[in-house]
Amino acid sequence: MPVRHGMKGLTIIAADLSSERFRCALSLAAAQAALGGRARLFCQGEAVALLRPPVQGIEDDAHEDAGLPTLDLLFEEALGLGVTIIACQSGMALTNTDARTLDARITFGGMVSVLQALGDDRLLCV
C-alpha cells in the first residue's frame, strides 16, 4: 500500500516476550499501514523469539472463539499490508534465533539503525 503523504509514520518497539503486547503492536502497525502510513515494528531483545515459527499467542484460542485473528494470521496480515518487521540482531544472538528460520520478509537491524531511520515517525514502545 502506498504511503499517504502528510501522514506521520509509526515505529513500534516490542520490548518483551509478551505475545499479547506483540498482538497489540501488530494490530497498531496493521491499522497504520491500512490507513496508508508507514509502519515499522522492531522486535528488541527477547521479543525476537516471538517471530520464530509458528507465531503463536497465549490467547489465540480466545481470539479465535471471538472471531478475531490468531497471532499468526495477524502477523501475515501486517506483513501483507506492508508493515516492516525488524528483528534485533542482538536479540537474535540472545535468543539463539537463526535468521534462516524466520519469515523471509523480516529484516534485521539494531536500535541505532531504527532510530537513524525514524525521521518524523511517532515512536511507541510496548
Side-chain angles (χ1 to χ4, degrees), residues 95-120:
T95 61
N96 208 18
T97 299
D98 184 338
R100 295 172 292 191
T101 65
L102 299 179
D103 188 292
R105 297 169 288 181
I106 293 172
T107 62
F108 308 96
M111 189 64 77
V112 171
S113 63
V114 168
L115 292 177
Q116 273 182 325
L118 191 63
D120 65 351

Side-chain angles (χ1 to χ4, degrees), residues 2 7 13 24-25 39 42 45 49 51 76-77 86-87 98 107 114 124-125:
M7 182 177 205
I13 298 171
C24 177
F42 178 65
L51 300 172
E76 283 298 323
E77 182 179 295
I86 308 160
D98 184 338
T107 62
V114 168
L124 178 63
C125 186

Side-chain angles (χ1 to χ4, degrees), residues 5-72:
H5 295 291
M7 182 177 205
K8 285 189 174 192
L10 179 63
T11 296
I12 303 165
I13 298 171
D16 67 20
L17 276 172
S18 167
S19 63
E20 293 315 294
R21 287 178 189 247
F22 186 55
R23 186 185 312 274
C24 177
L26 282 171
S27 295
L28 285 166
Q32 172 76 4
L35 290 170
R38 176 172 102 137
R40 298 184 310 149
L41 173 54
F42 178 65
C43 292
Q44 165 70 25
E46 292 181 340
V48 168
L50 295 165
L51 300 172
R52 287 190 282 207
V55 175
Q56 295 177 303
I58 60 171
E59 295 295 329
D60 274 350
D61 289 342
H63 281 261
E64 195 168 37
D65 289 348
L68 300 169
T70 58
L71 197 56
D72 64 328

